[in-house]
Amino acid sequence: MTLHIVKKGDAITMMRISKRCQAVTGSLTLEIDAKAKEMKARGLDVVGFGAGEPDFDTPEHIRNAAKEALDRGMTRYTPASGMLELKKAVCEKLRRDNGLVYQPQQIVVSNGAKHSLFNSFQALLDEGDEVIVPGPYWVSYPELVIMAGGVPVVVQAEEENCFKLTPERIEAAVTDRTRAIVLNSPNNPNGFVYTRQELQAIGDIAIRHDLTIVSDEIYEYLVYDGAEHVSIASLSPELQERTIVINGMSKAYAMTGWRIGYTASPLHVAKAMTNFQSHSTSNPNSIAQWAALAALSGPDDQLKNMVAEFDCRRRRMVELINAIPGLSCKPPKGAFYVMMNISGLIGKKLNGVPVTGSMSFTELLLESKQVAVVPGVGFGADQYVRLSYATNMENIEKGLGRIREFALSLED
Ligand code: PMP
Ligand code: GLU
C-alpha cells in the first residue's frame, strides 16, 4: 500500500481536475453574499448590498403548504421533471400572465432557475457552439455556456442606451456557429426592461438566423415606472417555437432557498432536459414543489407589497447615489439592482492604495466601511459596481451614507 502524504502543491497531481471544470470560475455574486453573511455572523456591522435575494419572508400560505405537504407524507420521489399538479399550475400561470399556451409535458421543473438554465444549455449546445450573451451580463451565463461546451460571445451594451443592445449590435455578432441568444428582461445586473418593439426586433433576428432564444424571465413581476414585462415567446407562435422560457420562485415569492425553477419549451427540448435531469438530480425537492404550487396559484398580495417597497427603495437609492460626487447611476426599471458608475473615482486613492477598478473599489469599501457591493468585473463591466436594494430602507440610508464618506475620503 502506498502512503499518500499530502504536501503543498500535491493536490493537482493526486486528483486531476477535468479541463471542463478548470475552465469554470465560482459565482462572484454568491461569494460576496457569503462573505457579507459571514462578517455579519462575526458581529460586524456590515451593510450588504450584494444579495440578489428578497429580504422578505416566504409568504405564510406558501410556508403552510410546505408544512401540510410534509404532514401528508409528500416525501417521496416525484417524476424527475416535476409533479403534474405543479406543471399544470405553471401552464396556468403562463397562460394567465404571459398569454402563452403550453402543455404540462413541455414544462420541466428543476432546482432553481439556474439549474433550468444549466439544463437548457446542456440540451442545446454542442462543442464550440456560440451563444450571444448581452453584457453587462449576470455572472452565471458565460460559465453555464462553457459548462455545456459552448462559447459565450459577449456583446456589450452601453449605459447611454440604458444597457440595451440594439438589433444591429446583435446581428453583427452572429456567425455560422451561433446557436442561441440569452435574453434577460427585467435584467440583472442592469435593471432594464426591453419593450415589446425591442423584443420584436430581436425576435426577427433570431428567426432570420435560426437562433434559439433562452429567455430568462425570473424578475418578471419586479417592474417599476409603468414598465411592462413581455415574454418574447408570446410575440408569435414562430417565436414561441424557438424560445426556452426560464422562470422560477426565488425572486417573486422570496423563495431563494427552496430551489424551484422551471422551463417552458418545445416538447423535444423538454424531453431532452428531462432525460438529463433524470440522471443528474432526479426531481427537485418534493416539499418545495408543493410550496411552489401554492405560490403560483395563491394570493399575490405580498408580491404587490414587495414590489411597492422595492420601488420606494429604488428611488431613494438612485437619489442618494446621484448626490455623491464621482458616482452616478441611471434609474433602473426592473429587478432590484442598480449599476453604479464608479469611473469618476478610478485612479483615486485610499491611504495610498489606488482604486484601479471595480474589484479594488469593492475591497476598499468593504474593508474601510463594511459595505458589501458586487464588483462589475464579474458582469464584464469594470467601471461599475452592482448594488441590490433588496435590503431595508435603514440599510440603504446607512450604506449610502458610508459610500458617500468613502468617496469623499479618496484622494487624488
Ligand atoms: N437568472 C437571473 C438573472 C438571476 O439573477 C438569478 C438569481 N440567482 C437566477 C437566474 C437564478 O435563480 P434561482 O436559481 O435562485 O432560481
Ligand atoms: N442572482 C442573484 C445575484 O445575482 C443571486 C446569486 C446568484 O445566484 O448568482 O446576486
Side-chain angles (χ1 to χ4, degrees), residues 27 29-30 52-53 110-117 137-141 144 183-189 216-219 246-251 255-262 335-337 386:
S27 164
T29 44
L30 290 182
E53 63 180 346
S110 301
N111 298 283
K114 195 180 276 182
H115 187 208
S116 304
L117 285 158
Y137 48 79
W138 175 48
V139 269
S140 292
Y141 294 134
L144 286 162
L183 270 191
N184 173 219
S185 175
N187 184 273
N188 174 11
D216 181 347
E217 304 180 12
I218 193 150
Y219 295 99
I246 310 280
N247 212 325
M249 305 297 125
S250 288
K251 316 295 172 172
M255 290 176 71
T256 46
W258 298 74
R259 312 307 305 134
I260 298 288
Y262 60 84
F336 40 58
Y337 307 105
R386 189 193 77 177

Side-chain angles (χ1 to χ4, degrees), residues 199-396:
L199 289 172
Q200 187 64 61
I202 296 172
D204 291 345
I205 295 172
I207 292 171
R208 209 158 41 243
H209 296 280
D210 192 20
L211 308 181
T212 295
I213 303 166
V214 177
S215 179
D216 181 347
E217 304 180 12
I218 193 150
Y219 295 99
E220 74 166 306
Y221 300 121
L222 309 183
V223 285
Y224 320 102
D225 288 345
E228 179 200 15
H229 166 72
V230 176
S231 173
I232 193 163
S234 70
L235 295 180
S236 69
E238 222 179 343
L239 280 172
Q240 183 172 351
E241 267 304 297
R242 59 176 62 254
T243 301
I244 304 182
V245 176
I246 310 280
N247 212 325
M249 305 297 125
S250 288
K251 316 295 172 172
Y253 303 102
M255 290 176 71
T256 46
W258 298 74
R259 312 307 305 134
I260 298 288
Y262 60 84
T263 51
S265 69
L267 186 59
H268 67 289
V269 181
K271 280 190 176 157
M273 292 195 284
T274 301
N275 289 348
F276 216 83
Q277 184 159 305
S278 75
H279 288 296
S280 47
T281 62
S282 301
N283 63 273
N285 179 295
S286 57
I287 309 297
Q289 287 191 63
W290 283 101
L293 173 57
L296 289 176
S297 42
D300 63 355
D301 7 332
Q302 170 165 334
L303 171 60
K304 286 195 182 120
N305 292 341
M306 196 167 80
V307 175
E309 182 59 33
F310 282 149
D311 191 16
C312 292
R313 298 171 182 181
R314 173 186 73 104
R315 288 164 196 268
R316 185 67 183 140
M317 188 177 255
V318 168
E319 188 178 33
L320 288 169
I321 289 174
N322 284 323
I324 301 175
L327 297 175
S328 65
C329 70
K330 283 239 185 324
K333 302 274 184 231
F336 40 58
Y337 307 105
V338 170
M339 278 293 258
M340 183 165 85
N341 189 325
I342 60 163
S343 52
L345 298 183
I346 290 177
K348 297 197 175 231
K349 298 188 185 85
L350 182 73
N351 303 327
V353 184
V355 176
T356 51
S358 62
M359 195 57 103
S360 51
F361 180 97
T362 302
E363 281 165 0
L364 290 172
L365 180 65
L366 188 60
E367 279 161 25
S368 65
K369 297 287 173 196
Q370 279 87 47
V371 176
V373 299
V374 184
V377 70
F379 311 115
D382 204 22
Q383 308 269 301
Y384 298 87
V385 298
R386 189 193 77 177
L387 276 71
S388 158
Y389 47 91
T391 184
N392 62 40
M393 202 58 114
E394 198 189 323
N395 275 341
I396 290 175

Side-chain angles (χ1 to χ4, degrees), residues 117-133 141-153 177-182 211-214 244 269 272-273 276:
L117 285 158
F118 175 84
N119 284 343
S120 303
F121 293 124
Q122 295 292 331
L124 290 177
L125 302 181
D126 279 319
E127 213 61 37
D129 281 347
E130 295 175 2
V131 178
I132 296 179
V133 179
Y141 294 134
E143 306 301 316
L144 286 162
V145 170
I146 292 169
M147 285 158 94
V151 178
V153 176
R177 289 309 306 263
T178 311
R179 176 82 178 80
I181 173 162
V182 174
L211 308 181
T212 295
I213 303 166
V214 177
I244 304 182
V269 181
M273 292 195 284
F276 216 83

